Amino acid sequence: MRDWRDHPEKDGSPAFCPRCADDPTLPAPGGDYAYLLGLYLGDGCISFAGDPAKRVWKLRVMCCDSWPGLIQECVAAMRAVRPDNKVMTVRKPGCTEVASCSRHWPCLFPQHGRGRKHTRRIELADWQRIIVERHPGDFARGLFHSDGYRGVNRVRRTWGEGIEHWYEYPRYLFTNNSVDILWLCGHTLDQLGVAWRFSKPNTISVARRKAVARLDEFVGPKY
Ligand SMILES: [Zn+2]
């Protein structure tokens, strides 16, 4: 507030922004921010809301209608990070867009830029890294809730004289076409002590029983 009163030229909005304040602080609550960052990197985008001259931005996260619990979590995280801005839900075919308008989304998500995320460099700012290191479980939860999946894998093994056996086991997959985002996911899994590997060039797989149990503490099935 003080920053806005003393520097009205910086921004016409009275909404407090932790990043463009004179003494920048970390966005809070850290867990909600880390979760929203994961969602944004997975399935979010930032674009102008209306007339570009007004410099108001819209953050949008697409949520699949199959998981109403995740839509509610996304709404709650957006509201927690920008309590002064309204959060809207817009129904689209098969999905719901969760959106909120603010002048400060690009301050909060400096990964914003032209073109698709996998065509440009995605690096966390130092202050974002601090939050993610403090809240790796929330960050992983956001990533897996947007571009991930927990399901049952079925594999066939043949023993000796054609004796067939089917195995089923739960596993997590995280698919993203940005190498940078894949490595952010892998690094966070390392931090959580979750074993992972690339099952395809664009897919991280967590399949070992212990690793799945560990990730269940933070992510779990979609709901
Ligand atoms: Zn700002």
Side-chain angles (χ1 to χ4, degrees):
M1 261 322 241
R2 187 161 45 102
D3 188 57
W4 169 68
R5 190 191 61 208
D6 296 345
H7 305 279
E9 74 288 353
K10 262 176 52 182
D11 191 340
S13 158
F16 170 76
C17 171
R19 295 312 303 164
C20 50
D22 280 343
D23 289 315
T25 53
L26 298 178
D32 289 294
Y33 178 82
Y35 178 66
L36 193 56
L37 177 62
L39 291 180
Y40 164 69
L41 291 179
D43 250 344
C45 69
I46 293 173
S47 55
F48 280 122
D51 183 358
K54 292 191 174 153
R55 313 294 299 170
V56 176
W57 300 85
K58 188 189 250 189
L59 169 67
R60 290 180 294 165
V61 176
M62 297 307 276
C63 299
C64 176
D65 283 341
S66 314
W67 319 112
L70 299 200
I71 299 174
Q72 289 316 309
E73 256 191 88
C74 176
V75 168
M78 247 185 228
R79 196 169 280 149
V81 170
R82 296 297 304 157
D84 296 329
N85 302 116
K86 213 170 104 191
V87 179
M88 299 157 277
T89 52
V90 185
R91 297 297 306 270
K92 309 248 159 150
C95 64
T96 295
E97 182 186 279
V98 179
S100 174
C101 296
S102 168
R103 287 163 195 269
H104 301 287
W105 288 124
C107 320
L108 295 175
F109 298 112
Q111 286 68 32
H112 161 69
R114 277 184 173 282
R116 313 223 13 174
K117 289 194 201 84
H118 67 269
T119 60
R120 55 196 158 85
R121 197 77 217 271
I122 300 288
E123 253 182 324
L124 296 187
D126 289 342
W127 60 266
Q128 287 180 302
R129 216 167 285 143
I130 293 170
I131 299 177
V132 167
E133 302 265 317
R134 284 183 192 165
H135 303 277
D138 295 287
F139 183 57
R141 187 174 173 80
L143 289 173
F144 277 91
H145 276 180
S146 57
D147 275 347
Y149 145 95
R150 184 193 190 278
V152 173
N153 195 30
R154 233 174 149 230
V155 283
R156 193 183 63 180
R157 290 276 149 73
T158 312
W159 301 99
E161 299 294 308
I163 302 165
E164 264 189 11
H165 212 92
W166 285 90
Y167 290 92
E168 285 189 351
Y169 62 91
R171 71 165 170 185
Y172 284 93
L173 296 176
F174 175 77
T175 302
N176 195 290
N177 288 323
S178 159
V179 176
D180 294 337
I181 294 173
L182 287 168
W183 281 108
L184 285 173
C185 182
H187 176 76
T188 299
L189 292 174
D190 287 345
Q191 213 195 322
L192 292 170
V194 172
W196 61 276
R197 65 182 184 88
F198 283 108
S199 59
K200 286 185 208 161
N202 69 346
T203 303
I204 280 178
S205 158
V206 173
R208 286 192 205 161
R209 190 193 299 258
K210 260 180 77 179
V212 170
R214 174 72 176 149
L215 199 50
D216 279 345
E217 293 175 31
F218 306 99
V219 183
K222 294 187 176 188
Y223 63 101

